[in-house]
Amino acid sequence: MYYVAKVNSDMCAEYKCNTCTLYCPEANTLMFDKKGNTSWVDEDRCKGCALCVYVCTDMLDRNCITMEMVSGKED
Amino acid sequence: MSLKYITPAERFKRYLPKDYVELVDYGPFGKTQDEAGPGNMGQFKELVEEHPMCSGCWMAYYIRLIFASLPCPEETVTLGTAGCGRLAISQAAVPFIYGNYGDQNAMASGLSRAFRIRFPDKTKDVITIAGDGGTMDIGFSMTMHSWIRGEKFTTIMLDNEVYGNTGGQESGMSPKGAILKMAPLGKQGEKMPATALAQAAGCVYTVRMSPTNIKKAAKIIRRAIFVAREVGPTFIHAYTSCNIEYSIPTEDVFADAKEKEKTRFQFEEYMTDAAKEVIERVEAEEKAASKARKAASKAEAV
């Protein structure tokens, strides 16, 4: 079991910001949805480094991203 | 490679792998930096795909940034050598040549010369991306000689200050006193002055930096490529920490890069007059083109 990043899209949509997507070390993982004005995470690719949490929480003080235990797809 | 070579026929698209078609349709091929550049990463399909590098690797981030800021990805060839970096560079949708233990700059010399003869009507970019061991230790002689000969291509050194791929031996670029797994007493010698060596060997544009400001880092990469097209060898010395060997918690990697920017990796840019002329000309052209595009899109909207 491991942690992956999860974006609170309601909170994220309030800001005009895509800073976290610029600082993720993984390509095509932390994506930005232009229509919904929010970031989202491709959980299959996230390695759980929490760099986006540093950007969102420590640098910008917006607290939109949290690390959550990955949920298994099979029941 | 060229844009024509990459783009498949419309009717053939349904038979090709989905990933490839997406890369052509939504990737940065043939697009400007405003449409698909470092400023809007996460909104287009990037050239680097899933790579096996460690969680929170700052080198992986910088490689992602390099590929996003390439001025012409369809006309670019990258070269690398043994080390962590090649794990991600070789996964990108840009032709990659794997050098044999540090000979990436020797190969790049031949390749860039051959491109100039074979494609006199095109601008082909040759970029070597290697670690501190490949550039400054094992491949030192070939790197220095390519600069002394004045070969026109870009050298990017991903400096993680350790041999991260083989278990933590000290490298020439490790700072004095660094205690590593395979250097338990601490490194005795000094860190090699890479940018000073590059300037002495005849590089026309050298930069030492820690990639914390994305816009600035992208601008530096593009400047180095533009200058290498016309004037001579260019060199970027970038700090890309190894969070495994230096035991940096992954969430603090960015903070560490910022801290190093204040100490060992203070921003330092050197350029000759000829290089400065090229940079000013190209950046003015880019600005004018971007302004014209914006004006055109505004006129369309009205």
Side-chain angles (χ1 to χ4, degrees):
Chain A
M1 295 297 276
Y2 56 100
Y3 288 96
V4 291
K6 241 188 194 135
V7 181
N8 184 334
S9 50
D10 295 336
M11 271 163 78
C12 184
E14 286 173 23
Y15 303 101
K16 202 181 167 193
C17 163
N18 66 336
T19 318
C20 59
T21 65
L22 307 182
Y23 289 104
C24 175
E26 299 298 310
N28 303 319
T29 302
L30 190 53
M31 307 297 282
F32 187 73
D33 174 18
K34 233 179 176 177
K35 261 188 203 159
N37 191 30
T38 171
S39 304
W40 60 278
V41 180
D42 188 342
E43 286 174 20
D44 290 347
R45 291 184 172 189
C46 179
K47 287 180 184 167
C49 66
L51 263 172
C52 50
V53 177
Y54 173 82
V55 171
C56 196
T57 307
D58 296 49
M59 262 174 68
L60 303 170
D61 198 18
R62 289 179 177 166
N63 308 313
C64 300
I65 308 178
T66 46
M67 299 306 290
E68 281 175 27
M69 195 64 87
V70 72
S71 51
K73 271 178 187 157
E74 69 270 35
D75 291 310
Chain B
M1 300 273 268
S2 67
L3 193 56
K4 202 180 159 196
Y5 183 87
I6 289 164
T7 317
E10 201 57 45
R11 288 166 73 181
F12 190 55
K13 267 185 182 175
R14 55 189 284 210
Y15 302 109
L16 284 169
K18 210 177 163 206
D19 261 4
Y20 181 79
V21 178
E22 277 183 354
L23 192 63
V24 175
D25 288 345
Y26 308 112
F29 291 126
K31 288 184 187 150
T32 60
Q33 287 279 296
D34 296 341
E35 290 164 330
N40 47 8
M41 283 204 298
Q43 294 173 46
F44 62 92
K45 187 157 170 76
E46 281 164 58
L47 293 167
V48 194
E49 263 297 339
E50 287 175 272
H51 54 72
M53 291 173 81
C54 306
S55 165
C57 180
W58 201 237
M59 187 187 279
Y61 164 71
Y62 189 59
I63 289 168
R64 183 184 172 213
L65 181 58
I66 292 172
F67 282 108
S69 41
L70 290 179
C72 197
E74 60 272 16
E75 306 278 6
T76 305
V77 176
T78 55
L79 295 100
T81 186
C84 294
R86 58 95 211 255
L87 295 171
I89 302 161
S90 57
Q91 307 270 2
V94 171
F96 170 75
I97 300 172
Y98 182 66
N100 198 12
Y101 297 108
D103 71 354
Q104 73 283 0
N105 273 43
M107 287 199 306
S109 306
L111 197 65
S112 65
R113 283 188 195 189
F115 276 154
R116 285 190 168 81
I117 297 166
R118 174 67 181 80
F119 303 104
D121 52 335
K122 275 185 180 177
T123 6
K124 291 270 187 188
D125 299 323
V126 177
I127 306 168
T128 66
I129 311 168
D132 49 322
T135 313
M136 279 291 146
D137 289 355
I138 306 163
F140 184 64
S141 62
M142 284 170 266
T143 307
M144 287 301 276
H145 277 276
S146 75
W147 289 340
I148 290 165
R149 286 195 304 271
E151 303 286 353
K152 292 176 184 168
F153 64 85
T154 309
T155 308
I156 299 176
M157 177 161 77
L158 312 167
D159 184 6
N160 58 4
E161 306 189 308
V162 64
Y163 282 89
N165 207 16
T166 48
Q169 293 83 0
E170 65 169 52
S171 85
M173 299 304 296
S174 302
K176 191 177 182 179
I179 296 171
L180 298 155
K181 280 181 199 150
M182 302 273 179
L185 297 176
K187 192 188 165 186
Q188 309 288 317
E190 290 286 342
K191 186 179 170 82
M192 286 169 78
T195 43
L197 284 167
Q199 285 159 25
C203 276
V204 293
Y205 181 76
T206 69
V207 174
R208 182 183 61 212
M209 68 177 309
S210 173
T212 52
N213 182 335
I214 190 163
K215 269 190 185 162
K216 194 167 156 191
K219 195 169 86 181
I220 298 298
I221 294 162
R222 291 169 66 78
R223 277 182 173 184
I225 293 169
F226 288 133
V227 171
R229 279 179 184 175
E230 295 176 37
V231 189
T234 56
F235 176 58
I236 299 174
H237 176 192
Y239 176 65
T240 56
S241 64
C242 181
N243 57 347
I244 302 292
E245 296 301 337
Y246 277 89
S247 310
I248 307 162
T250 52
E251 62 268 29
D252 296 339
V253 165
F254 194 178
D256 168 73
K258 274 185 177 170
E259 192 192 303
K260 292 290 184 306
E261 197 172 23
K262 285 179 198 143
T263 54
R264 283 201 294 281
F265 285 86
Q266 271 175 3
F267 184 73
E268 176 203 283
E269 193 178 29
Y270 160 87
M271 58 179 102
T272 60
D273 293 338
K276 198 174 181 182
E277 211 181 288
V278 171
I279 289 167
E280 277 169 2
R281 194 190 71 226
V282 171
E283 283 181 356
E285 276 171 15
E286 272 190 340
K287 227 179 195 178
S290 151
K291 233 182 195 176
R293 266 198 308 277
K294 265 180 198 162
S297 67
K298 239 183 201 175
E300 230 170 67
V302 171

